[in-house]
Amino acid sequence: MTRRTEASRENREAPQMGDYGHDLLFGSFITPGSDDPERTVALAVLAEQVGLDLVTFQDHPYQPRFLDTWTLLSYVAARTGRVHLSANVTNLPLRPPAVLARSVASLDLLSGGRVELGLGAGAFWEAIEAMGGRRLTPGQGVRALEEAIDVIRQLWDAEARGGVRVDGEFHRVVGAKRGPAPAHAVPIWLGAYKPRMLELTGRRADGWLPSLGYLHSGDLAKGNEIIDDAARRAGRSPGDVRRLLNISGQFASAERGPLHGPAEQWVRELAELALNDGISAFILGSDDPDDLRRFANEVAPAVRELVAAERDRATAPERTPVTEPAPVVAPAARPARARVTGGAFAVVPTPDDGRRRSDRQVWDESARPSGPAPDPARTYTPQEQANGQHLVQVHDGLRGELAQIHDLIEQVAAGEIDAGAARSHINTMTMRQNRWTLGAYCESYCRIVTTHHTIEDQALFPRLRQADPRLRPVIDRLEQEHHVIHDVLEGVDRALVAYVGAPDGLAELRAAVDLLTDTLLSHLSYEERELVEPLARLGVS
C-alpha cells in the first residue's frame, strides 16, 4: 500500500474535523524544468486560461535541472493577469527573510496583488550546505522559521514606527527600514508535517500546505487538531488558518484507487476532503495540459457546487437571510439580484427576450411542456427560496461567461485586422497568441456547460422526477435539449479546429458561438421557468 493510498483511506475513517468554511481554491503545481523553459511558462499561462486560481512551483535552488523559482514567478507574473502565484514552498535556508520580504512585496505590487508566500523550514541539507547555506536540526529549523516570519511581517508593516528589529538565534535585523508594503495582505502558508511545525502554523501562519503523498495514516485529522489547539492557545480562531493540499492523481475511465479514476470520482473525494477535513485549496501536481484542463473544467466547478450545497444544507436551520452559494463559474459583472426571504415565492426566473443571433433553429420552442401550476396560497421558507435562487445564480454565471466569449471574439477580430495590416513578425505572433487564448477560453466554457448538464442529468433531474411525477414531461424535454446542446457544442469544437487552421476561420467560429448562444439562453430561461418553484417546494438543491 502506498503512503497516499493509506493516508486517503485513513482520512476517510478518522474523526471528522469539519469544514472551516473558506472559499474553495484550485491550483497547479508545475515542475520548474529548465530543459524546456517555454513549456514551463506555457503551462502556467494555460492554468490561468482554463480558470485555475493558483500557479505554484517547487523551490530547490540547489537543483540545476530547475529554473530559479523566484525568477520564474516574476516572469510568469508578467505573462499572466489574473492567476495568483506562489512558491510551493520557499526554501528559507537559501533565501534570507529580509530580502525575501521585499521581493514578495515588490512582485505583489507589480502583479496587482497576486503573490502568496509559501514557506518551508528546509530539507536536503547536504545540498543546502553545498550552496553555502547552514545545516540546521529540525528544532533549529522551526525556530529559524518563526524568526523569519517576524522579520517578514515587520518589513511589510510599513506604517509602524521605527525600524525592523529581530535579534534572533538565526536571523538578525537591526533597524532596517520598513517597506514596501505589499499590494494585499499576503498570506504565509507553511509546509508542515511534524508537531512543532504544526504548532507554529496554528500560532503564527495563515495556512497549512502539506502534500497528500507525504501524509501518513490520519495525519490530516491529527494535523488539524494540533493546529486548532495551537491557534486557540494563541488567541486565534482555527478558521484563521486555511488548509491547503498538494494532490496528485490520474484520470481514468474506471475507479482504480484514490484520485485515480473518472472526474466524478475526483469530485466526490475532493468534496469529502473539503467537508470532512477542512481542505479549501487543492493544488494539482501535473505537467500534463489535459490534466490541468480536466481539473479546472470538470472537477473544480462540480466540487464547488457540491460543497456549496452541503454548506447550505448544514446552515439552513439557523439562517434568516439567503446566502449566495458559489456558482459553477464566476459570473461577469451584472446587477445583483435581490435576496429573497420567507413568505410568497419571490424568485424571478430569467425571461427569454426573444432575440436571436443565428438564422438556425434546433428545436420547436412552442412544443415545450409545462409543469404543474404553483399553489398561490403556499408560502416558502428562506431555505426553500434559496433552492430556487441557486439555479438562477448558476445560470447567471453561464450567461456572464458566454457574454465574455462574444466580447473576446470581437476583440480578437479587431486585433487581427490591425495586426494583419502591420504585417510584422511580432504582430503575427500576437495574432497566433490571441487565437490560442480565444480557443482555450471557448474550449473551457464548453467543458463547463457539459459538466453542469451532467450534474443535472445524474443528480438533480432524477430527484425531481421522484419527488413530483408531474414534472416528468418537463424533465424529459430538458434532457432532450441537453442532447441538442451537446451537438451544438460539438459544432463549436469543429469551428475551433477550423479557426486554428484557416485564416478566415473566425467567421465560422462566430456563427457557431451565435448558435450556442441562442440555444443555451433559450434553454436556461425555460429551465428556470419550470424548475425554480419545484426546487423550492420540493426541497431539492
Side-chain angles (χ1 to χ4, degrees):
M1 180 182 294
T2 65
R3 268 189 181 181
R4 184 163 65 83
T5 303
E6 184 180 42
S8 298
R9 177 178 299 171
E10 180 66 20
N11 286 327
R12 288 196 295 270
E13 298 170 353
Q16 293 185 2
M17 298 304 297
D19 176 13
Y20 296 90
H22 296 118
D23 58 312
L24 298 188
L25 302 176
F26 295 84
S28 60
F29 192 2
I30 298 169
T31 305
S34 61
D35 55 334
D36 190 353
E38 279 303 316
R39 184 177 188 275
T40 301
V41 174
L43 286 170
V45 173
L46 175 65
E48 173 173 83
Q49 291 172 335
V50 298
L52 291 176
D53 306 295
L54 184 66
V55 168
T56 71
F57 302 98
Q58 56 190 294
D59 182 31
H60 297 287
Y62 38 74
Q63 176 53 264
R65 293 186 295 105
F66 291 169
L67 298 166
D68 173 70
T69 297
W70 194 253
T71 305
L72 177 59
L73 287 170
S74 301
Y75 191 86
V76 170
R79 292 283 301 271
T80 56
R82 178 195 58 81
V83 74
H84 283 235
L85 307 164
S86 179
N88 190 352
V89 288
T90 305
N91 189 295
L92 183 63
L94 291 176
R95 300 195 185 275
V99 177
L100 178 63
R102 290 207 166 119
S103 299
V104 171
S106 298
L107 187 55
D108 197 54
L109 290 165
L110 291 167
S111 66
R114 295 191 288 124
V115 178
E116 324 296 354
L117 179 56
L119 277 179
F124 306 103
W125 291 104
E126 289 186 2
I128 288 172
E129 280 188 310
M131 291 284 287
R134 175 183 174 183
R135 180 189 289 266
L136 302 178
T137 66
Q140 290 174 328
V142 176
R143 296 198 299 275
L145 179 56
E146 184 161 14
E147 292 173 7
I149 293 173
D150 281 338
V151 172
I152 291 167
R153 287 197 166 135
Q154 285 195 43
L155 274 161
W156 287 347
D157 189 5
E159 300 301 319
R161 296 172 62 88
V164 175
R165 295 189 178 275
V166 175
D167 189 12
E169 179 182 358
F170 304 96
H171 301 295
R172 188 166 181 266
V173 181
V174 186
K177 294 185 181 297
R178 298 173 183 267
H184 82 301
V186 175
I188 296 177
W189 303 330
L190 299 188
Y193 298 92
K194 300 299 183 180
R196 281 178 292 191
M197 280 287 288
L198 292 166
E199 196 271 341
L200 174 61
T201 303
R203 284 191 295 109
R204 302 295 306 277
D206 305 298
W208 178 31
L209 177 53
S211 294
L212 186 58
Y214 291 115
L215 292 175
H216 295 282
S217 300
D219 277 354
L220 277 180
K222 294 173 185 175
N224 277 332
E225 184 177 3
I226 294 171
I227 291 169
D228 291 354
D229 289 345
R232 293 188 188 100
R233 290 196 302 270
R236 310 175 71 201
S237 166
D240 292 341
V241 183
R242 179 188 283 278
R243 319 300 158 111
L244 309 94
L245 189 64
N246 294 318
I247 62 172
S248 60
Q250 186 173 343
F251 289 102
S253 58
E255 295 192 17
R256 299 173 183 173
L259 294 182
H260 189 171
E264 293 80 5
Q265 176 193 344
W266 285 59
V267 170
R268 183 180 67 252
E269 293 180 0
L270 296 189
E272 288 176 357
L273 285 168
L275 295 166
N276 298 343
D277 295 289
I279 305 301
S280 60
F282 299 97
I283 305 172
L284 177 62
S286 177
D287 297 329
D288 186 332
D290 288 336
D291 283 352
L292 297 180
R293 292 187 182 99
R294 296 196 68 179
F295 187 59
N297 299 326
E298 300 177 31
V299 176
V303 174
R304 285 192 169 104
E305 191 163 9
L306 281 178
V307 171
E310 289 299 320
R311 286 174 173 175
D312 260 7
R313 186 174 296 111
T315 60
E318 58 186 4
R319 183 177 60 183
T320 299
V322 176
T323 59
E324 298 181 1
V328 172
V329 290
R334 58 186 293 129
R337 293 183 181 268
R339 295 190 176 198
V340 293
T341 55
F345 191 66
V347 179
V348 180
T350 306
D352 184 350
D353 60 14
R355 290 183 295 180
R356 298 293 182 263
R357 294 171 174 265
S358 174
D359 295 332
R360 291 183 57 193
Q361 292 185 350
V362 295
W363 51 47
D364 181 3
E365 294 179 0
S366 66
R368 284 169 168 164
S370 295
D375 180 358
R378 191 191 192 283
T379 59
Y380 301 80
T381 68
Q383 171 60 22
E384 289 173 334
Q385 300 266 21
N387 288 340
Q389 186 71 24
H390 186 205
L391 181 67
V392 178
Q393 290 166 340
V394 170
H395 287 179
D396 277 352
L398 295 175
R399 294 183 187 98
E401 291 291 321
L402 189 56
Q404 290 186 15
I405 288 178
H406 283 283
D407 289 342
L408 187 57
I409 286 175
E410 298 312 316
Q411 292 173 25
V412 171
E416 292 199 355
I417 294 173
D418 295 340
R423 297 183 182 279
S424 70
H425 176 71
I426 292 177
N427 280 297
T428 299
M429 294 299 293
T430 300
M431 289 168 58
R432 291 176 181 172
Q433 177 65 28
N434 288 345
R435 283 176 168 244
W436 192 77
T437 300
L438 175 57
Y441 200 101
C442 290
E443 181 184 14
S444 173
Y445 184 77
C446 291
R447 286 181 180 268
I448 290 170
V449 172
T450 300
T451 300
H452 173 62
H453 285 175
T454 300
I455 291 172
E456 289 187 329
D457 291 340
Q458 295 182 357
L460 178 63
F461 289 172
R463 294 172 64 189
L464 287 171
R465 270 200 190 94
Q466 182 178 13
D468 188 347
R470 296 176 299 171
L471 290 171
R472 184 178 298 276
V474 171
I475 301 299
D476 290 346
R477 172 67 187 221
L478 289 171
E479 288 182 335
Q480 292 168 10
E481 292 192 2
H482 282 181
H483 290 295
V484 175
I485 292 171
H486 175 75
D487 293 339
V488 174
L489 289 170
E490 288 191 338
V492 173
D493 183 66
R494 290 192 297 271
L496 284 172
V497 173
Y499 172 60
V500 172
D504 58 349
L506 188 60
E508 183 178 347
L509 178 59
R510 182 188 277 115
V513 173
D514 284 347
L515 181 60
L516 174 62
T517 301
D518 290 351
T519 55
L520 188 58
L521 294 185
S522 171
H523 171 80
L524 297 180
S525 294
Y526 171 55
E527 184 173 294
E528 289 176 24
R529 186 190 80 193
E530 297 299 329
L531 295 189
V532 289
E533 191 278 335
L535 288 171
R537 170 168 50 86
L538 301 172
V540 176
S541 61

